Amino acid sequence: MNEEITHLKPSIKGTVILPEDESYDEARSIYNAMIDKKPSFIVKCKDEEDVIDTVNFARKNNLEVSIRSGGHNGAGLALVEKGLVIDLSEMKNIEVDPQTNTAVIGPGNTLKDVDAGTHEFGLALPSGIIGTTGISGITLGGGLGYLSRKGGLTIDNLLECKLVLANGELVTANSETNPDLFWGLRGGGGNFGVVVSFKFKLLEIKNVYAGPMFWPLEKAREAMEFYDQFTKNASHDLYGFFAFLIVPPAEPFPKELWNKNVCGVLWNYTGPIEKAEEVFEPIRNFGPPILDFVSEIPMPALNTMFDALYPPGMQWYWRAHYIKELTPESIKVNVKRGSNISTMHSTTHLYPIDGAVHDVGNEETAWAHRDARWAQVIVGVDPEPAKANEVTKWCKDYFDDLKPHAMGGAYVNFMMEEGQSRIKDSYKGNYERLTKIKAKYDPDNFFHINQNIKPG
Ligand SMILES: Cc1cc2nc3c(=O)[nH]c(=O)nc-3n(C[C@H](O)[C@H](O)[C@H](O)COP(=O)(O)OP(=O)(O)OC[C@H]3O[C@@H](n4cnc5c(N)ncnc54)[C@H](O)[C@@H]3O)c2cc1C
Protein backbone atom coordinates (compact mmCIF):
# COMPACT_ATOMS: atom_id res chain seq x y z
CA MET A 1 0.00 0.00 0.00
CA ASN A 2 2.89 2.36 0.72
CA GLU A 3 3.67 2.08 -2.98
CA GLU A 4 0.17 3.18 -4.00
CA ILE A 5 0.33 6.18 -1.69
CA THR A 6 3.18 7.51 -3.81
CA HIS A 7 0.52 8.13 -6.49
CA LEU A 8 -1.60 10.23 -4.15
CA LYS A 9 1.27 12.26 -2.71
CA PRO A 10 2.15 14.31 -5.80
CA SER A 11 -1.47 14.90 -6.80
CA ILE A 12 -2.49 16.72 -3.61
CA LYS A 13 -1.45 20.11 -2.20
CA GLY A 14 -1.65 18.88 1.39
CA THR A 15 0.55 16.43 3.29
CA VAL A 16 0.47 12.65 3.54
CA ILE A 17 1.76 11.41 6.90
CA LEU A 18 2.86 7.79 7.40
CA PRO A 19 3.70 5.89 10.63
CA GLU A 20 7.43 6.24 9.99
CA ASP A 21 7.22 10.05 9.72
CA GLU A 22 8.42 12.28 12.55
CA SER A 23 5.12 14.17 12.66
CA TYR A 24 3.02 10.95 12.86
CA ASP A 25 2.42 10.84 16.64
CA GLU A 26 1.43 14.48 16.77
CA ALA A 27 -0.84 14.05 13.75
CA ARG A 28 -2.65 11.07 15.31
CA SER A 29 -3.15 12.67 18.71
CA ILE A 30 -6.62 13.98 19.41
CA TYR A 31 -8.31 15.83 22.27
CA ASN A 32 -9.11 12.71 24.33
CA ALA A 33 -5.82 11.09 25.36
CA MET A 34 -7.65 7.87 26.26
CA ILE A 35 -7.81 7.16 22.52
CA ASP A 36 -4.71 5.51 21.03
CA LYS A 37 -5.51 4.53 17.43
CA LYS A 38 -2.80 4.00 14.82
CA PRO A 39 -3.96 4.87 11.30
CA SER A 40 -1.86 3.77 8.32
CA PHE A 41 -2.26 7.13 6.54
CA ILE A 42 -3.16 10.63 7.61
CA VAL A 43 -3.91 12.98 4.72
CA LYS A 44 -3.95 16.64 5.70
CA CYS A 45 -6.08 18.15 2.95
CA LYS A 46 -5.72 21.76 1.82
CA ASP A 47 -8.88 22.13 -0.25
CA GLU A 48 -11.89 20.33 -1.71
CA GLU A 49 -9.84 18.90 -4.61
CA ASP A 50 -7.52 17.24 -2.10
CA VAL A 51 -10.57 15.76 -0.38
CA ILE A 52 -11.93 14.41 -3.69
CA ASP A 53 -8.56 12.82 -4.56
CA THR A 54 -8.24 11.32 -1.08
CA VAL A 55 -11.77 9.86 -1.05
CA ASN A 56 -11.20 8.33 -4.50
CA PHE A 57 -7.83 6.93 -3.43
CA ALA A 58 -9.25 5.34 -0.27
CA ARG A 59 -12.25 3.85 -2.10
CA LYS A 60 -10.15 2.36 -4.91
CA ASN A 61 -7.75 0.83 -2.38
CA ASN A 62 -10.51 -0.50 -0.08
CA LEU A 63 -9.27 1.52 2.87
CA GLU A 64 -11.42 2.30 5.89
CA VAL A 65 -11.66 6.06 6.36
CA SER A 66 -12.35 8.42 9.22
CA ILE A 67 -12.93 12.17 9.03
CA ARG A 68 -11.06 14.51 11.35
CA SER A 69 -11.79 18.19 11.83
CA GLY A 70 -11.40 19.52 15.40
CA GLY A 71 -10.49 16.08 16.80
CA HIS A 72 -12.79 16.66 19.81
CA ASN A 73 -15.00 13.64 19.49
CA GLY A 74 -14.97 11.85 22.87
CA ALA A 75 -15.17 8.39 21.32
CA GLY A 76 -12.20 9.17 19.06
CA LEU A 77 -14.18 8.80 15.83
CA ALA A 78 -11.79 11.21 14.11
CA LEU A 79 -9.30 8.33 13.83
CA VAL A 80 -9.39 4.85 12.32
CA GLU A 81 -7.13 1.95 13.27
CA LYS A 82 -4.97 0.91 10.26
CA GLY A 83 -7.08 2.99 7.85
CA LEU A 84 -6.87 6.46 6.31
CA VAL A 85 -7.70 9.68 8.14
CA ILE A 86 -9.11 12.50 6.01
CA ASP A 87 -7.76 15.39 8.09
CA LEU A 88 -9.45 18.75 7.41
CA SER A 89 -7.83 20.70 10.24
CA GLU A 90 -5.91 22.96 7.84
CA MET A 91 -9.01 24.03 5.87
CA LYS A 92 -9.63 27.18 7.90
CA ASN A 93 -11.16 29.75 5.56
CA ILE A 94 -13.82 32.08 7.02
CA GLU A 95 -15.68 34.65 4.93
CA VAL A 96 -18.21 36.79 6.79
CA ASP A 97 -20.73 38.85 4.81
CA PRO A 98 -21.94 41.65 7.12
CA GLN A 99 -24.54 42.72 4.50
CA THR A 100 -26.48 39.47 4.86
CA ASN A 101 -25.25 38.40 8.33
CA THR A 102 -23.95 35.12 6.91
CA ALA A 103 -20.61 33.32 6.88
CA VAL A 104 -18.99 30.62 4.77
CA ILE A 105 -16.80 28.56 7.06
CA GLY A 106 -14.18 25.93 6.24
CA PRO A 107 -14.37 22.55 8.06
CA GLY A 108 -11.05 22.87 9.90
CA ASN A 109 -12.07 25.84 12.04
CA THR A 110 -12.54 25.55 15.77
CA LEU A 111 -15.26 27.47 17.61
CA LYS A 112 -12.60 29.92 18.75
CA ASP A 113 -11.67 30.59 15.10
CA VAL A 114 -15.34 31.10 14.21
CA ASP A 115 -15.91 33.50 17.11
CA ALA A 116 -12.82 35.49 16.21
CA GLY A 117 -13.98 35.74 12.59
CA THR A 118 -17.55 36.82 13.36
CA HIS A 119 -17.05 38.98 16.48
CA GLU A 120 -15.29 41.78 14.62
CA PHE A 121 -18.55 42.30 12.71
CA GLY A 122 -20.66 42.20 15.90
CA LEU A 123 -22.01 38.78 14.89
CA ALA A 124 -22.05 35.34 16.47
CA LEU A 125 -23.02 31.77 15.57
CA PRO A 126 -24.90 29.63 18.10
CA SER A 127 -22.44 26.80 18.83
CA GLY A 128 -20.77 25.30 21.92
CA ILE A 129 -19.07 26.23 25.18
CA ILE A 130 -15.37 25.54 24.55
CA GLY A 131 -13.18 27.22 21.94
CA THR A 132 -11.20 24.15 20.87
CA THR A 133 -14.21 22.15 19.61
CA GLY A 134 -14.35 21.72 15.83
CA ILE A 135 -17.12 23.51 13.92
CA SER A 136 -17.64 20.46 11.67
CA GLY A 137 -18.42 17.74 14.20
CA ILE A 138 -20.49 19.98 16.45
CA THR A 139 -22.59 21.21 13.53
CA LEU A 140 -23.25 17.83 11.95
CA GLY A 141 -24.29 16.36 15.32
CA GLY A 142 -26.58 19.31 16.19
CA GLY A 143 -24.74 21.96 18.22
CA LEU A 144 -25.76 22.93 21.77
CA GLY A 145 -24.38 25.97 23.56
CA TYR A 146 -24.64 29.42 25.10
CA LEU A 147 -26.89 30.79 22.33
CA SER A 148 -29.24 27.79 21.97
CA ARG A 149 -32.18 29.41 23.77
CA LYS A 150 -31.81 32.55 21.66
CA GLY A 151 -30.90 31.13 18.25
CA GLY A 152 -31.53 27.38 18.38
CA LEU A 153 -29.08 24.60 17.62
CA THR A 154 -26.11 25.24 15.33
CA ILE A 155 -27.99 23.30 12.61
CA ASP A 156 -30.94 25.69 12.91
CA ASN A 157 -28.58 28.36 11.57
CA LEU A 158 -27.10 26.21 8.81
CA LEU A 159 -28.04 27.39 5.30
CA GLU A 160 -25.92 25.17 3.10
CA CYS A 161 -23.16 22.55 2.98
CA LYS A 162 -20.82 21.49 0.20
CA LEU A 163 -19.65 17.93 0.56
CA VAL A 164 -17.71 15.17 -1.16
CA LEU A 165 -19.72 11.95 -1.43
CA ALA A 166 -18.30 8.41 -1.24
CA ASN A 167 -18.16 8.27 -5.07
CA GLY A 168 -15.96 11.38 -5.12
CA GLU A 169 -18.67 13.73 -6.38
CA LEU A 170 -18.81 17.27 -4.95
CA VAL A 171 -22.41 18.24 -4.20
CA THR A 172 -24.33 21.08 -2.60
CA ALA A 173 -27.06 20.53 -0.02
CA ASN A 174 -29.52 23.22 1.00
CA SER A 175 -33.29 23.58 1.26
CA GLU A 176 -33.64 23.56 -2.56
CA THR A 177 -30.76 21.42 -3.82
CA ASN A 178 -30.64 17.87 -2.43
CA PRO A 179 -33.08 18.80 0.38
CA ASP A 180 -33.20 15.19 1.65
CA LEU A 181 -29.44 15.26 2.15
CA PHE A 182 -29.65 18.69 3.81
CA TRP A 183 -32.27 17.30 6.21
CA GLY A 184 -29.98 14.36 7.10
CA LEU A 185 -26.88 16.51 7.54
CA ARG A 186 -28.67 18.50 10.25
CA GLY A 187 -28.04 16.01 13.06
CA GLY A 188 -27.01 12.88 11.14
CA GLY A 189 -23.28 13.40 11.80
CA GLY A 190 -20.53 12.42 9.36
CA ASN A 191 -22.59 9.68 7.73
CA PHE A 192 -23.14 11.13 4.26
CA GLY A 193 -19.87 12.59 3.02
CA VAL A 194 -16.99 14.91 3.82
CA VAL A 195 -18.28 18.43 4.33
CA VAL A 196 -15.80 20.90 2.84
CA SER A 197 -17.79 24.09 3.43
CA PHE A 198 -20.61 25.31 5.70
CA LYS A 199 -22.76 28.41 5.20
CA PHE A 200 -24.47 29.83 8.30
CA LYS A 201 -26.70 32.75 9.20
CA LEU A 202 -25.43 34.72 12.20
CA LEU A 203 -26.97 36.54 15.16
CA GLU A 204 -26.21 40.16 15.97
CA ILE A 205 -24.40 39.67 19.28
CA LYS A 206 -21.21 41.33 20.47
CA ASN A 207 -21.14 41.62 24.26
CA VAL A 208 -23.12 39.52 26.71
CA TYR A 209 -23.81 39.56 30.45
CA ALA A 210 -22.45 36.19 31.48
CA GLY A 211 -20.35 34.04 33.78
CA PRO A 212 -20.51 31.45 36.55
CA MET A 213 -22.49 31.60 39.80
CA PHE A 214 -22.01 28.95 42.52
CA TRP A 215 -23.99 27.73 45.53
CA PRO A 216 -22.86 25.41 48.33
CA LEU A 217 -23.83 21.73 48.16
CA GLU A 218 -26.19 22.14 51.11
CA LYS A 219 -28.31 24.31 48.78
CA ALA A 220 -28.02 21.95 45.78
CA ARG A 221 -31.58 20.59 45.86
CA GLU A 222 -33.15 24.05 46.21
CA ALA A 223 -30.76 25.47 43.61
CA MET A 224 -31.81 22.86 41.04
CA GLU A 225 -35.49 23.49 41.77
CA PHE A 226 -35.02 27.26 41.58
CA TYR A 227 -33.06 26.99 38.32
CA ASP A 228 -35.69 24.69 36.80
CA GLN A 229 -38.61 26.98 37.64
CA PHE A 230 -36.86 30.25 36.90
CA THR A 231 -35.55 29.30 33.46
CA LYS A 232 -38.80 27.54 32.44
CA ASN A 233 -40.60 30.85 31.93
CA ALA A 234 -37.59 33.08 31.28
CA SER A 235 -37.17 34.99 28.03
CA HIS A 236 -35.06 33.37 25.32
CA ASP A 237 -32.42 36.03 26.07
CA LEU A 238 -31.51 34.15 29.24
CA TYR A 239 -29.51 30.93 29.02
CA GLY A 240 -27.98 28.96 31.86
CA PHE A 241 -26.58 25.45 32.16
CA PHE A 242 -26.60 23.81 35.57
CA ALA A 243 -23.47 22.02 36.80
CA PHE A 244 -21.94 20.12 39.68
CA LEU A 245 -18.21 20.74 39.82
CA ILE A 246 -15.09 21.12 41.94
CA VAL A 247 -13.78 24.68 42.09
CA PRO A 248 -10.34 24.80 40.41
CA PRO A 249 -7.55 25.65 42.88
CA ALA A 250 -6.41 28.72 40.97
CA GLU A 251 -7.01 32.43 40.43
CA PRO A 252 -9.47 34.08 39.90
CA PHE A 253 -11.42 31.79 42.25
CA PRO A 254 -11.27 32.84 45.93
CA LYS A 255 -8.91 30.62 47.96
CA GLU A 256 -11.59 29.57 50.43
CA LEU A 257 -13.46 27.85 47.56
CA TRP A 258 -10.49 26.01 46.02
CA ASN A 259 -11.15 22.25 45.60
CA LYS A 260 -14.66 22.59 47.05
CA ASN A 261 -17.42 20.51 45.46
CA VAL A 262 -20.20 22.98 44.60
CA CYS A 263 -23.17 23.37 42.27
CA GLY A 264 -23.73 26.30 39.96
CA VAL A 265 -25.02 27.80 36.76
CA LEU A 266 -23.06 29.25 33.86
CA TRP A 267 -25.33 32.09 32.75
CA ASN A 268 -25.48 33.95 29.47
CA TYR A 269 -27.85 36.90 29.01
CA THR A 270 -28.08 38.32 25.49
CA GLY A 271 -30.81 40.92 26.01
CA PRO A 272 -30.21 44.66 26.40
CA ILE A 273 -27.23 45.07 28.77
CA GLU A 274 -28.94 47.93 30.64
CA LYS A 275 -31.68 45.48 31.66
CA ALA A 276 -29.26 42.77 32.86
CA GLU A 277 -29.04 43.79 36.54
CA GLU A 278 -32.83 43.76 36.78
CA VAL A 279 -33.05 40.30 35.14
CA PHE A 280 -30.46 38.92 37.57
CA GLU A 281 -31.95 40.45 40.72
CA PRO A 282 -34.18 37.45 41.61
CA ILE A 283 -31.32 35.07 40.74
CA ARG A 284 -28.93 36.90 43.05
CA ASN A 285 -31.58 36.94 45.77
CA PHE A 286 -31.67 33.15 45.75
CA GLY A 287 -29.15 31.55 48.05
CA PRO A 288 -27.25 33.85 48.18
CA PRO A 289 -24.53 32.60 45.78
CA ILE A 290 -21.07 31.92 47.22
CA LEU A 291 -19.50 33.10 43.96
CA ASP A 292 -20.88 35.49 41.37
CA PHE A 293 -18.67 36.24 38.36
CA VAL A 294 -21.53 37.32 36.10
CA SER A 295 -20.70 40.56 34.29
CA GLU A 296 -20.52 42.14 30.82
CA ILE A 297 -17.95 40.38 28.63
CA PRO A 298 -17.33 39.93 24.89
CA MET A 299 -18.98 36.80 23.47
CA PRO A 300 -15.63 35.17 22.52
CA ALA A 301 -14.42 35.55 26.13
CA LEU A 302 -17.39 33.48 27.26
CA ASN A 303 -16.81 30.82 24.60
CA THR A 304 -13.18 30.36 25.66
CA MET A 305 -13.61 30.72 29.44
CA PHE A 306 -12.83 27.03 30.09
CA ASP A 307 -10.18 26.45 27.42
CA ALA A 308 -7.25 26.76 29.84
CA LEU A 309 -8.89 24.45 32.37
CA TYR A 310 -9.51 21.76 29.75
CA PRO A 311 -6.47 21.63 27.43
CA PRO A 312 -6.18 18.77 24.93
CA GLY A 313 -4.46 15.60 26.11
CA MET A 314 -6.44 14.61 29.20
CA GLN A 315 -8.25 11.34 29.90
CA TRP A 316 -11.96 11.71 29.04
CA TYR A 317 -14.88 9.39 29.48
CA TRP A 318 -18.41 10.64 29.11
CA ARG A 319 -21.99 9.50 28.93
CA ALA A 320 -25.17 11.44 28.26
CA HIS A 321 -28.94 11.41 28.65
CA TYR A 322 -31.86 13.43 27.34
CA ILE A 323 -33.89 14.77 30.27
CA LYS A 324 -37.52 15.86 29.92
CA GLU A 325 -38.07 17.16 33.45
CA LEU A 326 -36.32 17.45 36.78
CA THR A 327 -38.36 15.35 39.20
CA PRO A 328 -37.71 15.13 42.97
CA GLU A 329 -36.19 11.66 42.33
CA SER A 330 -33.84 12.78 39.55
CA ILE A 331 -32.77 15.79 41.60
CA LYS A 332 -31.95 13.37 44.44
CA VAL A 333 -29.71 11.30 42.12
CA ASN A 334 -27.96 14.41 40.83
CA VAL A 335 -27.35 15.78 44.31
CA LYS A 336 -25.97 12.43 45.53
CA ARG A 337 -23.66 11.76 42.56
CA GLY A 338 -22.83 15.42 41.88
CA SER A 339 -21.71 15.83 45.49
CA ASN A 340 -19.13 13.06 45.08
CA ILE A 341 -17.24 14.09 41.96
CA SER A 342 -14.27 11.83 41.34
CA THR A 343 -11.60 14.33 40.26
CA MET A 344 -11.20 18.12 40.01
CA HIS A 345 -11.85 18.20 36.24
CA SER A 346 -14.84 15.83 36.29
CA THR A 347 -18.26 17.43 36.13
CA THR A 348 -21.84 17.15 34.94
CA HIS A 349 -23.66 19.76 32.85
CA LEU A 350 -27.33 20.08 31.96
CA TYR A 351 -27.45 21.89 28.61
CA PRO A 352 -30.85 23.50 27.89
CA ILE A 353 -32.74 22.30 24.81
CA ASP A 354 -35.65 24.69 25.23
CA GLY A 355 -36.22 28.26 24.01
CA ALA A 356 -35.63 28.63 20.27
CA VAL A 357 -34.70 24.93 19.95
CA HIS A 358 -38.37 24.13 20.57
CA ASP A 359 -39.44 26.41 17.70
CA VAL A 360 -38.38 23.66 15.25
CA GLY A 361 -40.20 20.30 15.13
CA ASN A 362 -38.62 16.87 15.75
CA GLU A 363 -39.18 15.88 12.09
CA GLU A 364 -37.94 19.12 10.52
CA THR A 365 -34.29 18.07 10.86
CA ALA A 366 -32.65 14.73 11.67
CA TRP A 367 -32.13 15.91 15.29
CA ALA A 368 -34.96 14.09 17.02
CA HIS A 369 -35.07 15.18 20.67
CA ARG A 370 -36.45 18.70 20.64
CA ASP A 371 -39.11 17.61 23.11
CA ALA A 372 -36.38 17.19 25.75
CA ARG A 373 -35.51 20.09 28.04
CA TRP A 374 -31.88 19.20 28.65
CA ALA A 375 -29.02 17.14 27.28
CA GLN A 376 -27.14 16.08 30.38
CA VAL A 377 -23.53 15.07 30.01
CA ILE A 378 -21.55 13.35 32.75
CA VAL A 379 -17.84 13.81 32.18
CA GLY A 380 -15.03 11.95 33.92
CA VAL A 381 -11.77 13.82 33.25
CA ASP A 382 -8.25 13.77 34.61
CA PRO A 383 -4.78 14.60 33.30
CA GLU A 384 -3.34 11.33 34.73
CA PRO A 385 -3.66 8.13 32.65
CA ALA A 386 -3.60 6.23 35.98
CA LYS A 387 -6.96 7.84 36.83
CA ALA A 388 -8.67 6.60 33.64
CA ASN A 389 -10.53 3.74 35.35
CA GLU A 390 -11.61 5.86 38.28
CA VAL A 391 -13.15 8.63 36.16
CA THR A 392 -14.80 6.07 33.87
CA LYS A 393 -16.40 4.26 36.81
CA TRP A 394 -17.69 7.49 38.37
CA CYS A 395 -19.23 8.48 35.04
CA LYS A 396 -20.87 5.09 34.40
CA ASP A 397 -22.29 4.83 37.93
CA TYR A 398 -23.82 8.31 37.68
CA PHE A 399 -25.20 7.49 34.21
CA ASP A 400 -26.77 4.22 35.43
CA ASP A 401 -28.39 5.88 38.44
CA LEU A 402 -29.92 8.57 36.23
CA LYS A 403 -31.16 6.20 33.52
CA PRO A 404 -34.65 5.58 34.99
CA HIS A 405 -35.23 9.36 34.93
CA ALA A 406 -34.05 9.91 31.32
CA MET A 407 -35.84 9.76 27.96
CA GLY A 408 -33.67 7.13 26.19
CA GLY A 409 -31.04 7.84 23.54
CA ALA A 410 -28.43 10.56 23.81
CA TYR A 411 -27.06 13.52 21.89
CA VAL A 412 -24.77 11.75 19.39
CA ASN A 413 -21.95 14.23 19.99
CA PHE A 414 -21.85 13.18 23.66
CA MET A 415 -21.77 9.43 23.02
CA MET A 416 -18.93 6.95 23.27
CA GLU A 417 -19.14 3.81 21.09
CA GLU A 418 -22.30 2.49 22.75
CA GLY A 419 -23.84 0.19 20.15
CA GLN A 420 -26.47 0.36 17.41
CA SER A 421 -29.55 0.38 19.62
CA ARG A 422 -28.36 3.56 21.39
CA ILE A 423 -27.90 5.19 17.98
CA LYS A 424 -31.43 4.20 16.92
CA ASP A 425 -32.84 5.51 20.21
CA SER A 426 -31.04 8.79 19.65
CA TYR A 427 -32.70 9.33 16.26
CA LYS A 428 -36.08 7.90 17.38
CA GLY A 429 -38.68 8.28 14.61
CA ASN A 430 -36.13 9.85 12.25
CA TYR A 431 -33.87 6.78 12.04
CA GLU A 432 -35.76 5.03 9.19
CA ARG A 433 -35.69 8.16 7.05
CA LEU A 434 -31.97 8.54 7.73
CA THR A 435 -31.31 4.95 6.56
CA LYS A 436 -32.98 5.76 3.21
CA ILE A 437 -30.86 8.89 2.76
CA LYS A 438 -27.77 6.88 3.67
CA ALA A 439 -28.70 4.25 1.07
CA LYS A 440 -29.04 6.96 -1.59
CA TYR A 441 -25.83 8.90 -0.89
CA ASP A 442 -23.53 6.26 0.67
CA PRO A 443 -24.97 2.83 -0.27
CA ASP A 444 -21.78 0.91 0.64
CA ASN A 445 -21.45 2.59 4.05
CA PHE A 446 -18.01 3.92 3.07
CA PHE A 447 -18.34 6.50 5.86
CA HIS A 448 -18.90 4.23 8.86
CA ILE A 449 -16.40 5.45 11.46
CA ASN A 450 -19.08 7.56 13.15
CA GLN A 451 -22.33 7.05 15.10
CA ASN A 452 -23.30 4.88 12.19
CA ILE A 453 -26.57 4.95 10.29
CA LYS A 454 -26.86 1.74 8.25
CA PRO A 455 -28.08 2.03 4.64
CA GLY A 456 -31.73 0.89 4.62
C1 LIG B 1 -14.29 19.71 25.71
C2 LIG B 1 -15.48 19.47 24.83
C3 LIG B 1 -16.50 20.40 24.83
C4 LIG B 1 -17.62 20.19 24.03
N1 LIG B 1 -18.63 21.11 24.07
C5 LIG B 1 -19.72 20.92 23.29
C6 LIG B 1 -20.79 21.87 23.32
O1 LIG B 1 -20.74 22.86 24.02
N2 LIG B 1 -21.85 21.65 22.53
C7 LIG B 1 -21.94 20.56 21.72
O2 LIG B 1 -22.94 20.43 21.00
N3 LIG B 1 -20.96 19.63 21.68
C8 LIG B 1 -19.86 19.79 22.45
N4 LIG B 1 -18.86 18.87 22.42
C9 LIG B 1 -19.02 17.67 21.59
C10 LIG B 1 -18.61 17.96 20.17
O3 LIG B 1 -19.71 18.47 19.48
C11 LIG B 1 -18.16 16.68 19.49
O4 LIG B 1 -17.04 16.19 20.18
C12 LIG B 1 -17.84 16.89 18.01
O5 LIG B 1 -17.66 15.63 17.41
C13 LIG B 1 -16.60 17.72 17.83
O6 LIG B 1 -16.39 18.08 16.49
P1 LIG B 1 -14.92 17.97 15.86
O7 LIG B 1 -14.96 18.55 14.50
O8 LIG B 1 -13.94 18.48 16.83
O9 LIG B 1 -14.88 16.38 15.76
P2 LIG B 1 -13.81 15.32 15.18
O10 LIG B 1 -13.36 14.52 16.36
O11 LIG B 1 -12.79 15.94 14.32
O12 LIG B 1 -14.77 14.44 14.29
C14 LIG B 1 -15.79 13.69 14.90
C15 LIG B 1 -16.72 13.10 13.86
O13 LIG B 1 -17.46 14.13 13.23
C16 LIG B 1 -17.64 13.83 11.86
N5 LIG B 1 -17.00 14.90 11.08
C17 LIG B 1 -16.09 15.79 11.49
N6 LIG B 1 -15.81 16.66 10.51
C18 LIG B 1 -16.55 16.31 9.45
C19 LIG B 1 -16.71 16.84 8.14
N7 LIG B 1 -16.07 17.93 7.74
N8 LIG B 1 -17.55 16.20 7.29
C20 LIG B 1 -18.24 15.10 7.68
N9 LIG B 1 -18.13 14.59 8.93
C21 LIG B 1 -17.31 15.17 9.79
C22 LIG B 1 -17.02 12.50 11.61
O14 LIG B 1 -18.00 11.48 11.71
C23 LIG B 1 -16.04 12.36 12.75
O15 LIG B 1 -15.83 11.01 13.11
C24 LIG B 1 -17.70 19.06 23.19
C25 LIG B 1 -16.64 18.15 23.18
C26 LIG B 1 -15.55 18.32 24.01
C27 LIG B 1 -14.47 17.31 24.04
Side-chain angles (χ1 to χ4, degrees), residues 58 60 266:
K60 282 177 194 153
L266 209 305

Side-chain angles (χ1 to χ4, degrees), residues 67 69-73 77 88 128-129 134 136-137 144 190 193 195 318 411 413:
I67 309 169
S69 291
H72 247 228
N73 185 272
L77 296 171
L88 309 167
I129 65 146
S136 287
L144 292 165
V195 177
W318 63 10
Y411 173 37
N413 274 348

Side-chain angles (χ1 to χ4, degrees), residues 105-125:
I105 294 179
N109 287 289
T110 62
L111 302 188
K112 188 177 174 180
D113 300 328
V114 173
D115 277 333
T118 57
H119 184 69
E120 62 172 295
F121 298 99
L123 301 168
L125 173 69

